[in-house]
Amino acid sequence: MEVFYDIDGYRACPSAVCVGVFDGLHLGHRALLAELVDEARHRGVASVVVTFDPHPRIVLSKGNDRVGLLTTPSERIELLGSTGVDRVVVLPFTREFSDLTARQFISEWMRGKLDARFALMGYNHHFGSDDVDKDDYEALAASEGLEARHAKAFVLPGGVKVSSSEVRKALADGDVSRASLLLGRDYSFQGEVIHGDAIGRSIGIRTANVMPESDDKLIPADGVYSALVSVGGGQPLRAVVNVGSRPTVGGRDRRVEAHIMGFDGDIYGRKATVSFLQRLRGEMKFQDLDALAAQIRDDMGKAALSFENS
């Protein structure tokens, strides 16, 4: 897969194109891109995904709307690499770009810069500042020499809707199991292992503080989770992870602390990936450190059961 960050250096070729943020690259996104790849192969053209950085909502809200990214730009590119698309074009989203009308975007970008011959659109996707009605996009595209089609909505058995908004809602509720169902994989984040307050060591339960690599990355609701932690790309290790401000010790800042079960190595300064499996409980304030330690050991027992059942 080729990745282009500079549209001026893009080598245009006949292509089938799909445009969107694709934050999270959930099951609905994957179904859409599988359809794009099949369509491109049928037509004998390249399959091209156009995505944006930063997230359009961040720009259009003038920085006042903290979206909470399901995937950082680098994570999104890595996930797109597993979809089979030929090319990814990352466009910088700006206020000026958002002012383009639908016709201008089709004429100047889709046809002019990308040489798109076919556009596959999500079932509710629209583009352009003039807010063209969904049913009019195909006729508008045809007038510019571009064939366009909206894909069907993707729903799971039982009518479960899949969208980035639904994933964010699940994570905000701490329901990482539901988020995993919608994503088709465990929700995770990457970050550096940093020094904490060494309180875990004082009670015989060492923890690794993992700092998310981006402040915009969405972290699940405060609470305790069973999780897998992979250090430096190594084998995933079983862990109990606390997300929150640590009220028992008077903490104020929000942290992610992982106790890797049966592990006692030095991993400070290394990159780790934390994958959330199941929420065990909410964050609590305990009377003292002994009570906290007893609860963490109980959490470890519950986590062990969740690993066996997963």
Side-chain angles (χ1 to χ4, degrees):
M1 182 183 78
E2 296 180 279
V3 182
F4 298 85
Y5 294 93
D6 180 8
I7 192 63
D8 292 330
Y10 181 75
R11 304 185 307 277
C13 65
S15 55
V17 178
C18 195
V19 180
V21 181
F22 300 105
D23 188 25
L25 205 68
H26 53 61
L27 289 175
H29 291 146
R30 287 189 172 276
L32 181 67
L33 297 184
E35 186 176 344
L36 175 73
V37 170
D38 287 344
E39 192 70 42
R41 288 173 179 168
H42 175 71
R43 295 167 180 264
V45 298
S47 54
V48 178
V49 169
V50 176
T51 187
F52 303 103
D53 183 36
H55 195 292
R57 275 176 53 189
I58 296 175
V59 175
L60 298 178
S61 66
K62 299 180 180 179
N64 297 322
D65 184 7
R66 187 181 180 278
V67 175
L69 296 178
L70 302 176
T71 45
T72 63
S74 60
E75 289 172 339
R76 200 184 325 153
I77 294 300
E78 182 178 351
L79 289 168
L80 284 169
S82 67
T83 64
V85 299
D86 297 315
R87 294 181 171 188
V88 174
V89 180
V90 183
L91 296 182
F93 195 89
T94 63
R95 276 274 174 181
E96 292 74 20
F97 187 87
S98 72
D99 289 335
L100 292 173
T101 65
R103 185 177 294 277
Q104 286 175 321
F105 183 71
I106 292 171
S107 175
E108 298 174 16
W109 288 81
M110 301 281 276
R111 294 290 292 131
K113 296 180 183 296
L114 300 175
D115 193 13
R117 308 298 175 87
F118 172 78
L120 181 65
M121 303 172 63
Y123 77 98
N124 64 346
H125 182 71
H126 68 276
F127 49 76
S129 60
D130 45 349
D131 198 24
V132 174
D133 186 81
K134 172 184 173 181
D135 295 332
D136 294 334
Y137 274 109
E138 294 179 14
L140 175 60
S143 70
E144 294 292 337
L146 175 68
E147 182 183 350
R149 184 178 76 233
H150 277 90
K152 294 181 179 179
F154 179 85
V155 292
L156 293 173
V160 177
K161 294 183 178 179
V162 180
S163 70
S164 297
S165 297
E166 286 296 317
V167 178
R168 290 192 189 95
K169 183 178 183 300
L171 293 173
D173 293 338
D175 193 349
V176 294
S177 299
R178 178 174 173 79
S180 297
L181 173 69
L182 302 175
L183 290 168
R185 65 181 186 282
D186 296 324
Y187 184 70
S188 65
F189 78 92
Q190 297 177 342
E192 181 183 354
V193 179
I194 62 173
H195 287 277
D197 301 320
I199 294 173
R201 182 179 301 178
S202 72
I203 60 176
I205 304 173
R206 294 185 61 179
T207 59
N209 287 263
V210 186
M211 175 67 70
E213 63 183 6
S214 170
D215 291 339
D216 292 323
K217 178 72 175 184
L218 179 59
I219 302 301
D222 290 357
V224 177
Y225 300 84
S226 60
L228 295 174
V229 176
S230 174
V231 180
Q235 181 179 356
L237 305 172
R238 295 178 173 184
V240 173
V241 172
N242 182 81
V243 178
S245 59
R246 302 153 296 120
T248 302
V249 297
R252 295 184 179 181
D253 57 320
R254 193 168 189 246
R255 296 186 186 180
V256 180
E257 296 181 319
H259 169 66
I260 303 176
M261 299 163 64
F263 180 80
D264 195 33
D266 183 358
I267 55 176
Y268 290 119
R270 300 184 66 184
K271 188 175 182 178
T273 299
V274 179
S275 301
F276 295 89
L277 303 183
Q278 182 179 325
R279 191 171 197 251
L280 303 176
R281 62 174 175 86
E283 188 177 42
M284 302 163 60
K285 183 176 181 179
F286 296 92
Q287 182 177 355
D288 52 37
L289 291 179
D290 288 339
L292 173 61
Q295 180 60 58
I296 294 175
R297 292 189 178 93
D298 184 63
D299 295 335
M300 291 164 59
K302 292 178 180 177
L305 290 176
S306 75
F307 294 131
E308 293 175 4
N309 296 328
S310 62

